[in-house]
Amino acid sequence: MGVLASISGPEDLRRVPVAELPALAQEIRDFLVDSVSKTGGHLGPNLGVVELTIALHRVFDSPHDTLVFDTGHQSYVHKLLTGRHDFSGLKKQGGLSGYPSRAESPHDVVENSHASTALSWGEGIAKARRLAGERGRHTVAVIGDGALTGGMAWEALNNIAADPTLPLTIVVNDNERSYAPTIGGLARHLATLRTTRGYERFLDWGRTTLARTPVVGGAMYDTLHGVKKGLKDIVAPQGMFEDLGLKYVGPVDGHDEQAVENALRRARAFGGPVLVHVITQKGRGYRPAVEDQADRFHGVGKFNPETGLPFEVSGRIWTDEFNDEMVRLGAERQDVVALTAAMLIPVGLDGFAAAYPERVFDVGIAEQHAVTMASGLAFAGLHPVVAVYATFLNRAFDQLLMDCALHRAGVTFVLDRAGVTGSDGASHNGMWDMAIASIVPGLRLAAPRDGEQVRRQLREAVDVGDGPTVIRFPKGDVGEPVAAVRRLGTLDVLHETSADDEVDLLLVGVGAFAALAVEVGQKVEAQGHRVRVVDPRWVLPVSEELVRAAGTAGRVAVVEDNLVTGGVGSAVTAALREAGAGTPVDCHGIPKRFLSHASRAQVLEAIGLTAEEVTAALLRRLG
């Protein structure tokens, strides 16, 4: 039996002899490669934090002490060391979450996998424990160097540094990457710290050498130590952190478990906020991951563990359509520029970046900055395209509203992974974007139904210069085009019983749900009802043509892959009421609750967004 099998919690780990820890680390890496190859998941980040996580659980007493991971995709090793060894259902319905989960373990605290939040969580927890008189409980925030590019992390650092007795340890997991290589001034500073590690060795030499010098040796060492700030700026410029008021420890080799333990014990005993700088290698111990230049196997599907090659080659995805069209647009229009928040490849800007590198701006994990910077670019005569996951638009709402929309800035937002994404759970479903966008004055939102519409509507969006535009599409394969049978003003008619104006049901399919709407329309029609299925294309604000079409129908139904509260259906209802039309509207969308991880199909079935469920509901209402 291996060492890992004997560990059901951190108390077992602390009993493992130091000599056996390297074998345990190798067991964990072997387990991760074998398990994730069968399920998919975040492999590279976890291979890089094996020794670091072992050291954390040997030095700190979780859950009495609190460990907060930012982001949570580096928590697989933590799950193993806290007794969760069944990875067979990782990210699947009923199985382990791909992120920390309070439902799984008392060792898990923060389920939100949006980056740059751990320091704020850590400060709050540490201050609450201190107010409660729980002086013996420690708080640790583990944050990647990529997450430190987020402004929220620096807001937290500013407050943490002002509290010199706060019992908080900050561990910077520095692997030079977030998803891709980390960029920006902080990244350069950390790189300098990595490559100038002589300060502590210099002081050690001074301590031992001068101690042998009679009479003046001790005084000389004290003087030398007293001018350490100036010396550090030359030998190892960690002064940025110490100038903030944070004790700095490191850099530490993150794969030397005993060195990490020693650094963490020093931090734990300090009695105030300490930043421990740990250098790790993403993908450590698995050659295909280390050699993967794109993302070090950051997130993978099922693959052959012997070769690292995927078992399934995905088809053409929605992102590919955007990627290719951006390259074509870039050749035609010199004013088109692009912004990404540390997600160049996932959001499909790598093609544009390869063709026009000077016209792409990667701001790090700083969506707020990206949106306001884009507003400035628009003011100066460019047309920025801000590409982010739909779930991350939430983070920049104030900037969208007050910097972009208020100033009528011509900025296009391209939201990838919109709607239900499934396996990454509540924090990654892009289910709020249309509800958020619906309250922004002057904003126009398009929901393409297929790849052809992605290309066409992107071009339409970048032609708008007097306000923000949004293009949103889901995760996964793009599928076959959904052809229109005719145009009705600005609406695409996708299916209808006849071209006569009067219908029993006007069915509005939003974006990728257009194909589902056609299927539902055909099923309802088969029961003897006259049906018209339309795609508004630009779904916000609600067009006059859609209001007129609704006025000639007995009922209207809207099917959308978005929060049903405040979504497109709600906007259609409000538009009809304002126009004085009494047509009843049925809204079919995502209920207002957080959705557990499962496949996209399983989530949609659970919330009733299938052709069968929507058809049954509509037939009941149609009588």
Side-chain angles (χ1 to χ4, degrees), residues 66-70 102 109-114 116-128 139-141 152 156 160 166 168:
T66 301
L67 304 183
V68 179
F69 289 91
D70 183 341
R102 291 182 177 181
V109 177
V110 179
E111 302 185 10
N112 173 13
S113 57
H114 288 187
S116 310
T117 63
L119 302 187
S120 300
W121 271 99
E123 182 184 14
I125 293 167
K127 285 187 170 176
T139 306
V140 184
M152 186 175 173
I160 292 165
L166 186 68
L168 175 65

Side-chain angles (χ1 to χ4, degrees), residues 62 69 92 167 171 187 206 245 271 275 293 297 303 329 363 381 383 392 406 425 436 446-447 468 476 510-511:
S62 176
F69 289 91
K92 292 180 170 55
V171 178
L275 187 147
Q293 293 302 310
F297 276 38
F303 64 94
L329 269 172
V363 302
H383 191 101
F392 297 138
L406 176 64
I436 286 172
V510 176

